[in-house]
Every structure is written in C-alpha cells, then in structure tokens.
Amino acid sequence: MLNSAVDSRIFRNLFGTEEIRDIFSDEAYIKCLIEVEIALARAEATFNVIPQESADVIAEKAKYENLNLSRMAADTENVGYPVLPLVWQLAEMVPQEHAKYIHWGATTQDIMDCASMVQIRRGLVVVRRNLHELDTALRALSEKYADTPMAGRTHLQHALPITFGYKCAVYLSGIQRHIQRLAEIELRCLLVQFGGAAGTLASLGSDNTGLQVRKQLARELGLHDPSITWHVARDHVAEVVNFLALVGGSLGKIALDIIIMSSNEVAEVAEPFVPFRGASSTMPQKRNPISSEVILASSKLLRSNASLALDAMVSDFERASGPWHLEWSCIPDSFVLCCGALHQANFIMRGLLVNTDVMSSNLNMTKGLIVAEAVMMGTAPKIGRQRAHDVVYEACTKAIEGNLPLIDILRQDESLVAQVGEEKLRSLCDPCQYLGCCRQMIENVIQYE
C-alpha cells in the first residue's frame, strides 16, 4: 500500500507524471547505482588503477535483472544504506578475480551522490522541456490579449486598468528567468562525487591519480568535475531543490490568480472544459478549477521540501550523521511535484478560456473609479497635485455613496470643469486611455531570448 499522494495509484497523476516518476523510481535509482559502479570501474581502468579486463567484465556482468530485490531491501534495512547490499550481489554476478575490483576506493556516499546527480540531470531535462512549453503557451496568450483591457487589482480591489496580455507577460517573465536559472544550475550544480572515506581520495594514493579518476568518472556520467570533494558542502543540492520550489512559487501565483478569476463573481477565465473535470458529487453545475488547486497545493509542498534541503546542508565534520538522509525524500518528491505542477499549468494555459466581455464589464463596474489616479494626474498640471488628489478623493466618495459614474460627479464641479474642460475629464475617465506602458512591456518580454 502506498501512503504518499505522489506515489498513490489514485492521486499520483494529479501530482506528477509517469515520465518523472520513472526517473526517480526504485528501479531507476538502483540502475543508477549500478551505472555509477560500472563508470567508476571504467574510469579507474583508464588510469590503470584496476585492470581493463576487470572493468569490462564488471560492465558486462553487473545487471539489474539479476538482482534479488527482496534480499537487497532486507539487507538495506539492516545496513542502513543500499550500496553495500548492492555490492554484495554484484560481486556474486562477477567472477571472483574481477569482482574484487568492484567499488574500488569508493565509499557508500560517493556512489549514492553520483546516482542522485545522474537522476537530477535527467530530471532537469524534463523540467526544462515543460518550462519551454509553458513559455510558448504564455507567449501566445500575451500576444493574443495584449490589447484586451481588464481591471488590475491590488488587495483584491480594483486598482488601475491593465491588459490580460500584460498579466500573462508578467507570468511569462518569471518563467523566462527560471529557464535562465536552469541553464546556470546545469553548469554549476551537476557535480560528480568521488572522495573515498573522508573525501581525500587517499585510497587511490597521494599523487593525482584519484583526481584523474574523478575527472574521468565525471565524463562517464555526464557530470562536471568539482574543484574539491563536496559530500559535506551540499549547497548545490539545496540550490536544485530550492530552484524547483521557485518554479512552484511562480506556478502557485498563476494558479491562485486563476482560482479567483474563475470564481462566479469574477468569471474572467476558466480552466479548459473536460466533461466531469472539477465536477461535484452533489452540485451538477460545478466546474471547480482542479488543476489550479493541485498546483497551489504542490507549490506549498515544494516550499516545505526546500527547507528540508537547506537543513540537509548542515552536516557535521567530514560525514553527516543524519541530515543527508533528508535528501532521499525531498529530491525525488520535489521533482515529481514540480513536473506535475508544470504539467497542470501547461494543460491550463494551452486551453485557457478567456471571457473578454466579462473583463470589459468588470473593468467598468465601478463606473470610472478605477481611473481615479488618471483623473488626479491629468488635472494636477492645472490645479496642483495635492488639490487634485483632494478633489478626486471627494468625488470618489460621492460616487461610491451615490452609486454614480465618476464623470457625473466631476462635471458637477464647475471650477474643475472650467479649468480642465469637460472633454478632457471624459477622456481621463476612459479606462482604455490609461494603460501606461503595458504594450511596450509585453513586447519586451515576448522579444526576450
């Protein structure tokens, strides 16, 4: 029985995808451990640390399919780590004269860290593809609705007019930064780990052989060679998990907006319609924003995992006595949650239902109050900024209390009309005339590479 929503047969496709789960499955992890052991043998053979024939035999005979997984699980429970139980079984698959070179000069954490790095590298490929898909969807929305006016809201109240394209471009700018961060992370954080018992590589001698082997091991695994052993300096691991949480934060903001905007009282957007998606067991009319709700939950879980990765950085001396174990949980969970949230976000944005008529209606529902700042700034050159603020504030109060259009109240001020002009006041009260630099900023974001 599976007890996590990430792995649950019922919930797992809400919170993740089969593709990313496959990368972080037990089978995939054990295969990565074997891949690292084989790569280490090859790297050591390259520099004559072990015989080339032994490396070839290890690569040929060390097979996942020949493992007794039940035995490995029981041995792991006893030992506390999976590497020694794995090495025991690999040694049984390989002739004795070659088996003695398996795991040569390495320690458990070397193998586990390298396996995790390989998984992280493969997981980031999926994250990158999903980010680019979301980038494409948001670009299309930004362009299509660049000139679609709507109410901009602060503190959940009307603030100033914006366009829906501008809102989508703001989302897009964050995704663009995440793509940039990801490129930097792949260069900075995907590091091979090979240091032996205390990180000094003493098991391979005092010359530079150990360093040469580590560099070759990095090549074998598609990782980068660090300047020094990093098994107790885990900032780059925490950076990866916190990056996933940052992506989750951006997606959570989008999801929260959509949840509110799809409420009946606002009704400006809706998630793509699929029969019975978001349906209620008792209210036939319901179309709940399920994808957004899942994204919002995932974003919170990702932030929780980010704190675990930060805790795992605080290691004692030259081998952690416990914090490292936190990564065994937060790394795979974070990748699954992040990719699941990206999958849901792509589903939403590719088929988002946008009600431009309602956006226009909502924009005008306060009868001009949303452009109070425009009136203030437009009249200030004539009557002074502070007096303009006071005049417009008083006019807004009367408009709210009397449920009247702002322009009607302003027209009653003969002094203001005389100084500014009625035509100018009407223009200032048009929300579509106060969109600032929305269009230019949208173009800047769309043109960003």
Side-chain angles (χ1 to χ4, degrees), residues 76-114:
T76 298
E77 181 181 358
N78 182 48
V79 173
Y81 305 93
V83 174
L84 183 56
L86 174 65
V87 171
W88 285 338
Q89 292 198 44
L90 295 181
E92 295 170 2
M93 301 176 195
V94 177
Q96 187 174 358
E97 65 270 25
H98 302 298
K100 63 184 179 181
Y101 293 113
I102 297 172
H103 199 68
W104 190 267
T107 193
T108 288
Q109 192 168 356
D110 289 336
I111 307 304
M112 292 182 67
D113 278 345
C114 282

Side-chain angles (χ1 to χ4, degrees), residues 141 144-145 148 150 164 168 261 267-271 349 351-359:
L141 289 170
K144 182 175 181 179
Y145 297 104
T148 301
M150 65 175 295
F164 186 60
C168 292
M261 292 172 69
E268 293 174 341
V269 301
E271 291 187 0
M349 291 305 175
L352 187 69
L353 304 176
V354 181
N355 194 333
T356 58
D357 290 340
V358 174
M359 287 181 177

Side-chain angles (χ1 to χ4, degrees), residues 322-342:
W324 173 45
H325 298 58
L326 293 170
E327 294 176 2
W328 306 355
S329 172
C330 70
I331 291 174
D333 277 8
S334 291
F335 269 95
V336 172
L337 289 165
C338 184
C339 289
L342 281 166

Side-chain angles (χ1 to χ4, degrees), residues 256-268:
L256 183 58
D257 278 5
I258 290 173
I259 289 170
I260 297 173
M261 292 172 69
S262 63
S263 66
N264 297 107
E265 291 80 4
V266 181
E268 293 174 341

Side-chain angles (χ1 to χ4, degrees), residues 8-256:
S8 164
R9 290 182 181 179
I10 299 173
F11 296 113
R12 63 186 178 188
N13 287 329
L14 281 173
F15 287 96
T17 65
E18 184 176 356
E19 179 184 24
I20 195 65
R21 284 195 304 272
D22 284 347
I23 292 174
F24 288 92
S25 68
D26 277 352
E27 178 179 342
Y29 182 61
I30 296 170
K31 286 181 176 178
C32 284
L33 294 174
I34 296 172
E35 181 182 346
V36 174
E37 292 286 7
I38 291 172
L40 177 60
R42 285 174 172 159
E44 291 177 329
T46 301
F47 295 97
N48 300 314
V49 175
I50 69 172
Q52 183 64 55
E53 181 184 1
S54 296
D56 293 341
V57 173
I58 291 169
E60 179 186 355
K61 298 292 185 180
K63 300 295 183 184
Y64 172 84
E65 293 75 15
N66 296 330
L67 288 174
N68 183 330
L69 296 178
S70 296
R71 173 187 162 194
M72 185 176 173
D75 288 342
T76 298
E77 181 181 358
N78 182 48
V79 173
Y81 305 93
V83 174
L84 183 56
L86 174 65
V87 171
W88 285 338
Q89 292 198 44
L90 295 181
E92 295 170 2
M93 301 176 195
V94 177
Q96 187 174 358
E97 65 270 25
H98 302 298
K100 63 184 179 181
Y101 293 113
I102 297 172
H103 199 68
W104 190 267
T107 193
T108 288
Q109 192 168 356
D110 289 336
I111 307 304
M112 292 182 67
D113 278 345
C114 282
S116 291
M117 281 291 145
V118 171
Q119 285 184 300
I120 289 171
R121 174 171 58 79
R122 292 169 180 167
L124 289 176
V125 171
V126 179
V127 173
R128 185 196 304 111
R129 190 188 70 240
N130 277 277
L131 283 171
H132 279 291
E133 289 176 6
L134 186 55
D135 177 286
T136 299
L138 288 171
R139 282 176 186 270
L141 289 170
S142 298
E143 289 181 304
K144 182 175 181 179
Y145 297 104
D147 298 314
T148 301
M150 65 175 295
R153 299 172 175 94
T154 61
H155 303 276
L156 295 178
Q157 297 189 15
H158 281 203
L160 295 175
I162 61 172
T163 69
F164 186 60
Y166 167 82
K167 179 182 281 289
C168 292
V170 171
Y171 301 152
L172 174 59
S173 67
I175 300 305
Q176 290 173 339
R177 287 189 289 273
H178 291 318
I179 292 172
Q180 184 180 43
R181 289 185 184 101
L182 178 50
E184 295 168 356
I185 283 171
E186 289 176 320
L187 291 175
R188 182 170 55 243
C189 298
L190 296 180
L191 304 178
V192 76
Q193 168 56 31
F194 179 52
T200 63
L201 282 170
S203 57
L204 268 63
S206 299
D207 59 9
N208 70 342
T209 300
L211 297 178
Q212 289 178 317
V213 169
R214 189 183 69 194
K215 189 172 184 177
Q216 182 61 29
L217 178 60
R219 293 194 192 100
E220 294 279 346
L221 296 174
L223 301 173
H224 301 295
D225 184 37
S227 58
I228 195 169
T229 311
W230 57 262
H231 63 295
V232 288
R234 309 188 72 81
D235 54 286
H236 59 299
V237 180
E239 182 175 356
V240 170
V241 178
N242 276 263
F243 163 72
L244 298 175
L246 283 173
V247 173
S250 293
L251 299 181
K253 188 274 187 288
I254 297 172
L256 183 58

